[in-house]
Amino acid sequence: MNVPSPRRLQYGYLLEIPIMLMVGGAVVATLFFHLPPVGQKVLVCGMALPLLCCLYYVIVAPGWMADNDHLKPTLRLLAFVLLTAMIGTGVSIIVLGE
């Protein structure tokens, strides 16, 4: 029986995704209250797109799974769609609000 090595099982796992999200969150948290209202809206919209791209990569197209009991592709897609709807609603409230 040919068992792949643990290193081979972790191909595709990227640490850059959580790092990018943390840096983006830190930038938004730092700049948000120092910008005028229009700048705040642009900043929130500008961070929403990379956030959704990262979530898509982590949820729908994962390169590495911790075990073999991962969710089926349809459930992963459903989870991504629900998160996208929640994020879209939050961005819409911020942009269309006062």
Side-chain angles (χ1 to χ4, degrees):
M1 193 157 164
N2 197 4
V3 178
S5 68
R7 184 175 181 188
R8 174 86 175 144
L9 290 174
Q10 294 182 5
Y11 275 15
Y13 181 75
L14 293 176
L15 190 57
E16 292 87 11
I17 299 295
I19 291 173
M20 189 170 96
L21 290 176
M22 285 188 290
V23 168
V27 167
V28 170
T30 304
L31 294 178
F32 187 78
F33 294 108
H34 298 290
L35 293 173
V38 174
Q40 292 174 348
K41 294 175 184 183
V42 169
L43 183 66
V44 168
C45 289
M47 186 56 195
L49 184 62
L51 175 67
L52 290 176
C53 291
C54 290
L55 286 176
Y56 177 82
Y57 181 78
V58 170
I59 295 172
V60 178
W64 174 76
M65 293 291 221
D67 56 1
N68 289 333
D69 296 329
H70 53 273
L71 294 175
K72 295 183 180 193
T74 53
L75 291 176
R76 289 194 310 247
L77 187 61
L78 179 64
F80 173 72
V81 168
L82 290 174
L83 278 172
T84 302
M86 289 175 21
I87 292 169
T89 302
V91 169
S92 299
I93 289 171
I94 290 173
V95 171
L96 299 175
E98 297 179 45

